[in-house]
Amino acid sequence: MDNDWQRTHRVCPSSRNPGFLVLVLLALVFGVTLVRGQQEELPEKKKEEFKSYSNTNINLGGVQPELRSPDGEAGSIRWSPESGYYTVGGTLGGLQPQYAQEALDLMNRARAAEERGAQRAALGDYKRVFKDYPASQYAPEARYRTGLLYMKRGRYDRAFEEFDIILRGYPTYGNFNLLLGQQYEIASAYVNGYRRKILGFIPGWTNRSKGTQYFERLVFNAPFSDYAPLSLMNVAVGQLKEKNYTYAIDALDRLINAYPNSVVTSDAYLKLAQTQAELVDGPLYDQGATREAISYFEDFLILFPTSSGLAEAEEGLAAMNETMAQSKFKMADFYYKKRRNYTAAKVFFNEAITVAPNSQTAQTARTRLEEIDGKIEVLREKQAKWLQKQIEGDAKRRGVPVPVFIDEPTSATIDSEPPPGSETEAESESANQPQVEETEEVKPKKRFLGIF
């Protein structure tokens, strides 16, 4: 009966074999990671764009401890293949002779194991040194060698933490830039899409956010080093890859303000302008980002007239000016067609022409202005006829002669002196005309069509 129940209720034919289930699980994990890796693969252009900030003339580490320049501190250590580790310039942090010898023996044994490729044994001895003798001069050296071994084994996160402990806990150790260079390489690897191997051969997930965090810690550890502005630039690049525009703008703004003379400051201005341009939704929306982009493009062209990105900045500035001109044109068109407020429409059409005078939008705005001028002239003629009728009707009601209007005064009435005797004749004619008292108050007329 048990066999019949198993035949009817078992999940799969190989349910009795746990190895088969393990293989299925591994296949699923490998397939998911492989698909995720293909989806997150960056275009070649983006890769090259990031590498331009990683491959600089600054030394990015990799210098062996024996090649470091002496720092002059007591208790500094050196290493040579012949004699092993030895001290330079003093004692080993106040250790008693027997403990100092034990630490030295562990260091030499660990370094020998590292040289012959026994990484696990070397890591064990190095850890014993900085755990049992944390106050000795061998402790930071043991942590540094541990960090290098972690990098070889693909554990970049642990390597970064080891280097960070040295920077914060052992300020007198070796060359400061050596550790910064190693941390810079680790952070760059994460932002570039580094994947830790699962079981030694399955590619894991990318973690670019950890790379940006490492760059921020590098800036905190060494704000006055050459790595700080480069780290802020890479923070911005990493945030842009994740579409976090707010954090990218913050990093670029800090770079510009804190490091105005850096080699990447010009790129930061251009990148900041392009990032603001990415936030522009179009001429029908708020133009705050457009104004910021125009400002940074103009600053870049003024401050860096010989930069290689000059053509790119000019193209971006022209595009932003066109967007701003279209926004002004849309607003002017609204007042012109929907509200028939010709005064406001003329203001915004003129602003559109001022922003981008050589654009197609500016040409259309000039056409609109000509149309508005023609309509205003027609309205003035209608207003003049309407006013003439009002005056004639009022004169008839009062019983007074209708005044005569001169449309266009001649030059004689404006520029010439009056002929002799014309003043007395005008006065006599006015005296002979009957005087009419105004018995009723003339009310102000309403504006014609709400305009004049």
Side-chain angles (χ1 to χ4, degrees):
M1 183 174 180
D2 293 338
N3 294 332
D4 295 337
W5 186 90
Q6 289 180 0
R7 281 195 299 268
T8 57
H9 291 83
R10 59 188 178 184
V11 178
C12 64
S14 300
S15 60
R16 295 181 180 180
N17 185 8
F20 177 77
L21 297 178
V22 173
L23 291 177
V24 171
L25 180 62
L26 289 176
L28 289 175
V29 172
F30 180 76
V32 170
T33 54
L34 185 61
V35 171
R36 185 181 178 94
Q38 292 176 353
Q39 291 178 349
E40 294 188 356
E41 194 68 27
L42 294 174
E44 292 297 329
K45 183 178 180 181
K46 293 292 183 182
K47 291 181 180 180
E48 294 299 328
E49 180 182 0
F50 177 77
K51 289 180 180 180
S52 64
Y53 302 111
S54 297
N55 300 333
T56 62
N57 294 327
I58 298 177
N59 181 14
L60 298 181
V63 181
Q64 297 297 327
E66 63 272 15
L67 300 180
R68 296 197 306 265
S69 59
D71 53 11
E73 297 291 336
S76 298
I77 62 173
R78 299 290 183 270
W79 180 85
S80 65
E82 296 79 13
S83 59
Y85 282 101
Y86 60 94
T87 62
V88 177
T91 61
L92 294 176
L95 290 178
Q96 295 182 6
Q98 64 271 23
Y99 297 123
Q101 187 61 42
E102 291 178 4
L104 178 60
D105 293 340
L106 284 173
M107 288 295 297
N108 287 329
R109 189 173 68 182
R111 188 61 182 266
E114 181 183 354
E115 293 296 326
R116 66 173 182 267
Q119 297 181 359
R120 189 180 298 274
L123 284 173
D125 289 335
Y126 284 138
K127 289 180 180 179
R128 286 187 58 189
V129 171
F130 60 74
K131 287 183 178 179
D132 296 341
Y133 311 101
S136 69
Q137 292 293 334
Y138 290 125
E141 177 67 16
R143 286 192 176 277
Y144 175 74
R145 302 306 307 179
T146 300
L148 293 181
L149 287 174
Y150 277 140
M151 291 184 67
K152 291 180 181 179
R153 297 167 68 90
R155 296 304 306 270
Y156 284 178
D157 51 346
R158 290 191 178 184
F160 189 94
E161 296 300 333
E162 294 294 335
F163 298 144
D164 199 60
I165 291 173
I166 300 173
L167 289 172
R168 292 184 288 107
Y170 301 94
T172 60
Y173 171 74
N175 193 345
F176 192 68
N177 286 331
L178 177 70
L179 299 172
L180 296 180
Q182 298 291 357
Q183 287 189 322
Y184 188 92
E185 285 186 346
I186 293 172
S188 299
Y190 273 104
V191 174
N192 269 327
Y194 162 75
R195 304 170 188 273
R196 180 186 169 189
K197 301 293 184 180
I198 301 175
L199 300 179
F201 66 94
I202 301 177
W205 286 270
T206 59
N207 194 353
R208 292 190 176 91
S209 60
K210 179 175 287 190
T212 58
Q213 294 174 9
Y214 283 166
F215 277 125
E216 290 285 4
R217 289 171 63 177
L218 198 151
V219 175
F220 178 80
N221 289 335
F224 303 106
S225 68
D226 293 334
Y227 289 100
L230 290 171
S231 298
L232 286 175
M233 175 62 79
N234 285 317
V235 167
V237 172
Q239 295 293 349
L240 288 175
K241 288 179 180 179
E242 299 295 329
K243 305 298 182 182
N244 297 326
Y245 296 108
T246 302
Y247 296 105
I249 291 173
D250 175 72
L252 292 170
D253 187 68
R254 283 186 288 153
L255 194 162
I256 290 171
N257 293 322
Y259 309 100
N261 299 323
S262 173
V263 294
V264 296
T265 302
S266 60
D267 294 341
Y269 269 100
L270 184 58
K271 184 70 69 177
L272 187 54
Q274 292 171 343
T275 304
Q276 292 287 357
E278 288 288 332
L279 299 177
V280 177
D281 294 323
L284 297 178
Y285 297 88
D286 181 70
Q287 297 301 305
T290 308
R291 296 187 187 92
E292 291 291 335
I294 290 174
S295 176
Y296 284 114
F297 276 128
E298 290 177 346
D299 291 344
F300 176 83
L301 293 174
I302 294 172
L303 296 175
F304 310 100
T306 60
S307 175
S308 59
L310 195 63
E312 193 174 358
E314 291 176 347
E315 181 179 354
L317 179 60
M320 290 296 99
N321 283 332
E322 176 67 21
T323 302
M324 180 64 73
Q326 290 177 4
S327 177
K328 299 292 184 182
F329 183 88
K330 295 290 184 182
M331 196 173 300
D333 229 23
F334 170 79
Y335 282 109
Y336 174 50
K337 294 182 178 179
K338 301 298 183 181
R339 291 292 181 267
R340 296 192 178 182
N341 188 341
Y342 297 148
T343 303
K346 288 184 68 174
V347 171
F348 285 109
F349 279 134
N350 282 313
E351 287 184 0
I353 295 172
T354 303
V355 170
N358 298 324
S359 64
Q360 181 64 37
T361 303
Q363 297 179 6
T364 310
R366 293 188 182 96
T367 305
R368 290 284 198 279
L369 286 174
E370 293 176 359
E371 295 177 3
I372 291 176
D373 291 338
K375 290 189 177 184
I376 289 177
E377 188 64 28
V378 173
L379 288 175
R380 283 177 177 172
E381 294 176 358
K382 291 181 179 180
Q383 180 199 29
K385 293 178 181 180
W386 180 79
L387 290 175
Q388 179 68 24
K389 291 180 180 180
Q390 294 294 322
I391 293 172
E392 290 176 355
D394 187 64
K396 289 179 180 180
R397 286 195 304 269
R398 296 185 181 186
V400 296
V402 179
V404 179
F405 294 95
I406 301 176
D407 294 336
E408 296 182 358
T410 61
S411 60
T413 59
I414 297 177
D415 302 328
S416 304
E417 292 291 336
S422 60
E423 183 177 356
T424 57
E425 294 177 358
E427 291 178 355
S428 60
E429 291 179 358
S430 61
N432 295 330
Q433 291 181 356
Q435 300 295 327
V436 180
E437 295 182 359
E438 296 183 0
T439 58
E440 58 181 0
E441 182 180 359
V442 180
K443 295 182 180 180
K445 304 298 182 182
K446 295 183 179 180
R447 299 181 65 184
F448 180 70
L449 296 181
I451 303 174
F452 303 100

